[in-house]
Amino acid sequence: MWESVALTLAGTAGNNIGKVLQKKGTLILPPLSLKLKVVKAYASNQLWISGFLMDMCGAALMLTALSQAPVSVVQPIAGCGLAILCVFSHFYLKEVMNGLDWIAITLAGLGTIGVGVGGEEQKVDQIPLLNIPWLVLSIVILFVLLNTWLHMYKKQRREQELTGPEVIEEIIYGLESGILFGISSVISKMGFVMSEMGFPKIVVPAAISCSVCCSAVGFVYQTRGLKHGRAIVVSTCTSVASIVSGVVAGMIALDEHLPKAPTARFFLLLGWFFIITGVILLVSSARLIARLPRPVQKFLKSNIERTHSIRRPGSARGKDAIPTTTIHTSSLHLLTSPTKEKA
């Protein structure tokens, strides 16, 4: 189990850090296209190539972890990628972090340990095939309801000429993308399980292909949410929905279950709680600090943040620098967006 935990952490770190490196590399590159000149420009950019290779290696490690451990273990730990990315951004990109950020990262780390202690290998003798159509139907109905709600909300906003943050739109797009990311992991796991049960080996690449398509649609929904809403709300909903949907779908489609031992079950549930709490706290730390009393705000500001402000007197204050980490994290899949805007 600990091997799967380590593989998941390495995989999610490769995914998140790789996408940031790719995004940073695209700042001096033209919009991605199939033109030979453009392809050569991307291939010759060491930063972009490094990020791409890290991203691919991370995906391979995640698939390896899914082949060895239940989705209920892999998917929550994958949510710690946000914490790993923040640490990387702090030391490599020199982004400022506050006290709440470090508390959130600590919670995510403790949650990972809890999942590793409480998680157990589960042997799937048979897949409850009758549950899969019901799961698919439930997801379709949920998406129909969410998109109907979104359509009605947009119509109301147009009629009333409302302005300001589109909270409902942010939540819906975040939930939809997170659900698709969670289901994507379950589909990959299902391919490995069916292969072990004696199904033709073609089920593994077929399941991985379906998983990639599911993730691609999730990226589209996340992109729409980031374009029309705040990164804090979208990324929070995406992360939490991804963990919850992955765990629930794994229990329904793969007959996964909680550990039978009370101690193991306690540590697993506690780990899930810590990871989800850490993710929510990490993406909302800036807003939470802004609402706290001023003495508490000063206490939560790290020495690094004060040093950063002293060195750069003309820069923005610490509380304005914090969302930068969130924007990097939540826009990981929009690698060419900055370039398009410059073009």
Side-chain angles (χ1 to χ4, degrees):
M1 184 57 61
W2 284 109
E3 180 183 354
S4 300
V5 170
L7 287 171
T8 305
L9 285 174
T12 190
N15 289 149
N16 287 282
I17 296 174
K19 287 183 173 68
V20 169
L21 293 177
Q22 289 179 75
K23 183 178 179 182
K24 193 173 181 181
T26 57
L27 295 177
I28 60 173
L29 292 172
L32 182 61
S33 67
L34 296 179
K35 294 180 180 179
L36 182 59
K37 184 178 180 180
V38 175
V39 173
K40 286 183 177 180
Y42 275 80
S44 61
N45 186 292
Q46 293 184 357
L47 193 60
W48 188 88
I49 287 294
S50 299
F52 177 77
L53 292 176
M54 286 190 67
D55 196 5
M56 292 300 100
C57 290
L61 291 174
M62 287 292 291
L63 288 174
T64 305
L66 281 169
S67 67
Q68 299 178 1
V71 179
S72 57
V73 171
V74 174
Q75 194 62 27
I77 296 176
C80 293
L82 185 66
I84 297 173
L85 178 60
C86 284
V87 175
F88 171 79
S89 299
H90 176 68
F91 289 103
Y92 177 73
L93 302 178
K94 307 302 179 184
E95 294 186 354
V96 179
M97 295 177 61
N98 57 56
L100 281 183
D101 290 328
W102 292 111
I103 293 174
I105 291 172
T106 302
L107 285 174
L110 292 175
T112 301
I113 296 174
V115 172
V117 172
E120 62 181 15
E121 296 183 7
Q122 300 182 17
K123 182 67 176 178
V124 180
D125 297 324
Q126 62 178 2
I127 294 179
L129 297 176
L130 293 178
N131 291 348
I132 296 178
W134 289 107
L135 177 63
V136 173
L137 181 62
S138 300
I139 295 173
V140 171
I141 293 175
L142 178 60
F143 269 70
V144 170
L145 292 175
L146 288 174
N147 283 289
T148 301
W149 183 20
L150 179 61
H151 176 74
M152 295 173 60
Y153 174 73
K154 285 183 175 180
K155 184 178 179 181
Q156 183 182 12
R157 284 183 63 90
R158 286 195 299 267
E159 291 176 351
Q160 300 181 4
E161 297 181 353
L162 298 176
T163 59
E166 302 174 359
V167 181
I168 302 299
E169 189 170 350
E170 296 165 346
I171 293 174
I172 291 177
Y173 280 133
L175 291 176
E176 290 178 332
S177 61
I179 291 171
L180 288 169
F181 292 151
I183 297 300
S184 173
S185 298
V186 175
I187 294 174
S188 296
K189 178 64 176 180
M190 191 178 299
F192 292 117
V193 171
M194 294 177 71
S195 176
E196 293 175 357
M197 293 172 58
F199 284 81
K201 297 297 182 181
I202 190 66
V203 297
V204 175
I208 293 176
S209 300
C210 293
S211 175
V212 170
C213 294
C214 196
S215 294
V217 178
F219 294 155
V220 172
Y221 278 108
Q222 188 181 46
T223 302
R224 290 180 179 177
L226 293 171
K227 182 178 179 180
H228 299 287
R230 294 163 295 178
I232 291 176
V233 179
V234 177
S235 56
T236 302
C237 293
T238 298
S239 299
V240 175
S242 174
I243 295 173
V244 174
S245 62
V247 171
V248 173
M251 291 181 174
I252 295 174
L254 298 172
D255 201 24
E256 294 183 354
H257 52 79
L258 294 174
K260 296 180 180 179
T263 303
R265 186 184 309 161
F266 169 77
F267 277 110
L268 183 63
L269 293 175
L270 186 64
W272 290 352
F273 174 76
F274 277 175
I275 290 173
I276 293 176
T277 304
V279 169
I280 295 175
L281 188 61
L282 196 58
V283 297
S284 58
S285 61
R287 289 180 175 271
L288 288 176
I289 287 182
R291 296 177 181 273
L292 294 176
R294 191 170 295 275
V296 181
Q297 293 184 30
K298 292 181 179 180
F299 174 76
L300 289 174
K301 284 186 177 181
S302 64
N303 292 328
I304 297 176
E305 182 178 352
R306 295 194 190 101
T307 305
H308 181 83
S309 301
I310 294 172
R311 289 179 180 176
R312 300 176 59 185
S315 62
R317 289 180 297 175
K319 67 178 182 180
D320 298 325
I322 296 166
T324 306
T325 301
T326 304
I327 293 173
H328 275 301
T329 305
S330 56
S331 57
L332 295 174
H333 312 298
L334 309 177
L335 302 180
T336 59
S337 297
T339 314
K340 290 181 180 178
E341 291 176 4
K342 289 178 180 292

